[in-house]
């Protein structure tokens, strides 16, 4: 009786990985098209402003993805033993969404002129609406991860990305106004849930529960949000940080760097980031094969990084010239560095879930915080623009990896002592 069950679970895991990867590829392609389409239609100088909004939006969204990671870790298929905790995730989502909207709006006077100097409050409202809406996406997605509802999860990821591409494409057909484009970027968050709820509600309503109460959930989420904020600073928010720390650089140069970073780092980082909650659930459930799976994934990420870096060095500038004719091109070595930095961040996206799956929220937050801190410090070093950008891209993830490596090596020793 055991063998069929194991085979069924293996097939389910394979189906889960396949669905998530397919949805991630579709979402990645859609994001690539948006990244190509916007600067192609409005130029690199105007794209720099759009890129700052995009980066700030996904800095906050990436921060809020910490909610999804903790909800994924805490969610179990409902078995009746945790009756008092059922439904708390939904209540938490409403409170968190209202809090996010309020915080963005009330804090805007502090940062709006520095980040959106030309359009100001016109970009604050889509930012607040989009980030608040994403809270519901994060909670629902985390619940789907926790009870292995892969098809519903994949549908959400795919529809969200395709709606965003469609909305931005329609907006560009009529205007190059960055504010209109900003609304086109954020509206797919609530629209996706509204469109799919009729089809996906049966897969979640009454079928899941949390292994922690509301207070513990909030405390755990606070720490995963801290880690996710650091992650966002290094990934989605990096163009924003780059722009803020390079006020005297030509806008076209900053736009070129932002575009190069976005395009070349995306393949590895997007896939690795999309798998974080899946890896948390997998590492939590498969403790016997933990180290084998962990090391294989790290080898896969680093191997892919080396191969893609070599390819980028050789053909990257030529491909960039084809995609953006008449615009400046990044050098091959710079593209290779960008790709390898994405591999290092991808390694963190494997090590982080491995730590979080062991309920080590403090270590998880510490590793990402150290990585982000080193990244930010590197951006303000007294070096030229290119040198400090490269230093930030490499030094940050290496520092974070050191924190996770120290903890995991200590965990290995403890396990060996316990086994003896």
């Amino acid at each position: 009786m055991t063998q069929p069950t194991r085979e069924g679970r293996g097939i389910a895991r394979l189906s889960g990985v396949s669905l998530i990867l397919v949805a991630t590829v579709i979402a990645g392609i859609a994001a690539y098209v948006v990244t190509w389409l916007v600067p192609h239609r409005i130029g690199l100088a105007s794209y720099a402003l759009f890129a700052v909004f995009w980066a700030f939006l996904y800095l906050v969204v990436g921060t809020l993805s910490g909610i999804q990671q903790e909800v994924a870790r805490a969610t179990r298929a409902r078995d009746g033993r945790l009756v008092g905790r059922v439904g708390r995730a939904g209540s938490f989502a409403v409170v968190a969404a209202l809090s996010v909207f309020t915080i963005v709006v009330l804090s805007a006077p502090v940062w709006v002129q520095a980040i959106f100097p030309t359009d100001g409050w016109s970009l604050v409202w889509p930012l607040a609406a989009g980030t608040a809406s994403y809270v519901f996406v994060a909670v629902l997605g985390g619940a789907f991860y926790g009870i292995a509802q892969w098809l519903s999860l994949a549908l959400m990821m795919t529809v969200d990305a395709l709606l965003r591409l469609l909305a931005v494409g329609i907006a560009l057909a009529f205007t190059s106004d960055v504010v209109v484009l900003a609304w086109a970027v954020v509206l797919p968050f609530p629209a996706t849930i509204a469109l799919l709820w009729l089809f996906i509600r049966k897969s979640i309503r009454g079928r899941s529960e949390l292994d922690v109460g509301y207070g513990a959930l909030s405390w755990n989420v606070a720490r995963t949000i801290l880690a996710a904020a650091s992650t966002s600073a290094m990934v989605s928010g990096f163009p924003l940080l780059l722009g803020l720390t390079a006020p005297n650089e030509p806008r076209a140069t900053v736009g070129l760097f932002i575009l190069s970073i976005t395009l070349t780092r995306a393949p590895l980082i997007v896939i690795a980031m999309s798998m974080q909650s899946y890896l948390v659930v997998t590492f939590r459930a498969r403790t016997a094969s933990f180290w084998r799976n962990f090391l294989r994934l790290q080898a896969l990420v680093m191997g892919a990084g080396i191969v893609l870096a070599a390819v980028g060095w050789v053909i990257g500038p030529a491909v960039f010239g084809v995609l953006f004719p008449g615009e400046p091109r990044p050098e091959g070595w710079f593209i290779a560095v960008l790709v390898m930095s994405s591999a290092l961040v991808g390694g963190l996206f494997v090590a982080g879930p491995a730590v979080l799956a062991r309920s080590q929220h403090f270590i998880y937050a510490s590793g990402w915080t150290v990585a982000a801190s080193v990244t930010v410090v590197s951006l303000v070093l007294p070096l030229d623009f290119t040198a400090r950008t490269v230093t930030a891209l490499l030094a940050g993830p290496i520092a974070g990896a050191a924190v996770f490596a120290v903890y995991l090596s200590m965990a290995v020793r403890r396990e060996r002592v316990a086994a003896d």
Side-chain angles (χ1 to χ4, degrees):
M1 296 294 292
T2 11
Q3 189 62 26
T5 303
R6 288 177 180 171
E7 289 176 358
R9 288 176 180 172
I11 293 171
R13 283 194 296 267
L14 180 60
S15 300
V17 171
S18 302
L19 285 169
I20 293 174
L21 287 178
V22 169
T24 300
V25 168
I26 294 173
I29 292 173
Y32 257 121
V33 175
V34 170
T35 304
W36 168 81
L37 191 60
V38 174
H40 185 73
R41 293 297 298 271
I42 69 177
L44 282 180
S46 298
Y47 170 74
L49 176 59
F50 173 81
V52 167
F53 173 81
W54 180 282
F56 196 12
L57 171 68
Y58 280 97
L59 174 64
V60 181
V61 164
T63 298
L64 297 174
S65 69
I67 296 174
Q68 177 178 285
Q69 293 162 26
E70 174 56 19
V71 171
R73 188 209 62 78
T75 300
R76 303 289 194 276
R78 186 175 184 181
D79 58 11
R81 288 180 294 178
L82 301 171
V83 176
R85 294 166 183 168
V86 176
R88 287 188 182 273
S91 303
F92 175 83
V94 173
V95 175
L98 291 173
S99 300
V100 167
F101 185 90
T102 303
I103 290 170
V104 170
V105 173
L106 292 183
S107 67
V110 177
W111 47 260
V112 65
Q113 288 303 316
I115 296 177
F116 304 138
T118 55
D119 290 281
W121 279 88
S122 298
L123 290 175
V124 171
W125 298 114
L127 179 71
T131 52
S133 300
Y134 176 76
V135 171
F136 295 98
V137 176
V139 171
L140 190 56
F144 284 145
Y145 272 111
I147 60 173
Q149 289 294 327
W150 309 121
L151 181 58
S152 297
L153 181 63
L155 278 173
M156 279 184 57
M157 295 169 63
T158 303
V159 171
D160 173 76
L162 294 179
L163 281 179
R164 184 164 295 105
L165 174 58
L166 178 63
V168 171
I170 292 173
L172 285 173
F174 295 97
T175 181
S176 59
D177 189 336
V178 172
V179 176
V180 175
L181 293 175
W183 279 109
V185 168
V186 303
L187 285 177
F189 289 134
T192 297
I193 295 179
L195 286 174
L196 292 179
W197 183 244
L198 182 64
F199 306 99
I200 64 179
R201 63 179 180 177
K202 291 182 180 179
S203 62
I204 191 67
R205 292 185 67 176
R207 300 185 62 178
S208 66
E209 56 193 2
L210 301 174
D211 66 359
V212 290
Y214 185 78
L217 176 67
S218 300
W219 173 231
N220 288 343
V221 163
R223 289 179 288 177
T224 54
I225 279 182
L226 175 61
S230 302
T231 306
S232 296
M234 296 176 60
V235 182
S236 304
F238 189 84
L240 173 64
L241 295 174
L242 192 64
L244 290 175
T245 55
N248 299 321
E249 297 293 331
R251 286 178 63 86
T253 301
V254 175
L256 173 64
F257 270 53
I258 290 175
L259 185 59
S260 302
I261 291 168
T262 302
L263 289 175
T264 54
R265 298 177 82 203
L268 277 174
I269 287 183
V270 167
I271 293 174
M273 181 179 283
S274 69
M275 297 296 291
Q276 274 200 108
S277 295
Y278 178 84
L279 290 176
V280 170
V281 175
T282 301
F283 286 141
R284 180 190 70 189
R286 304 172 68 182
T287 54
S289 56
F290 171 85
W291 290 110
R292 182 172 68 253
N293 294 331
F294 175 76
L295 294 174
R296 283 179 177 174
L297 285 170
Q298 289 288 7
L300 177 63
V301 171
M302 294 305 159
I306 293 171
V307 172
L308 291 175
V311 172
W313 192 323
V314 175
I315 67 172
V319 171
F320 198 95
V322 172
L323 293 175
F324 304 98
E327 299 287 356
R329 304 181 187 183
E331 296 182 40
W333 70 267
F334 183 64
I335 292 175
V337 168
L338 295 181
V339 175
M340 279 311 301
S341 76
S342 73
L344 293 172
V345 176
L348 292 181
F349 284 138
V350 175
V355 172
L356 185 59
R358 295 165 174 254
S359 295
Q360 296 295 325
H361 293 79
F362 175 76
I363 302 297
Y364 179 69
S366 298
W368 281 111
T369 303
V370 167
S373 300
V374 172
T375 298
V376 173
V377 169
S378 299
L379 284 174
V380 295
L381 291 174
L383 304 171
D384 65 70
F385 184 47
T386 301
R388 67 175 183 264
T389 301
V390 170
T391 302
L393 288 167
L394 297 177
I398 289 174
V403 174
F404 290 145
V406 168
Y407 166 75
L408 290 171
S409 63
M410 292 173 63
V412 171
R413 293 192 187 97
R414 285 195 298 267
E415 289 172 3
R416 286 176 178 171
V417 169
D420 293 340

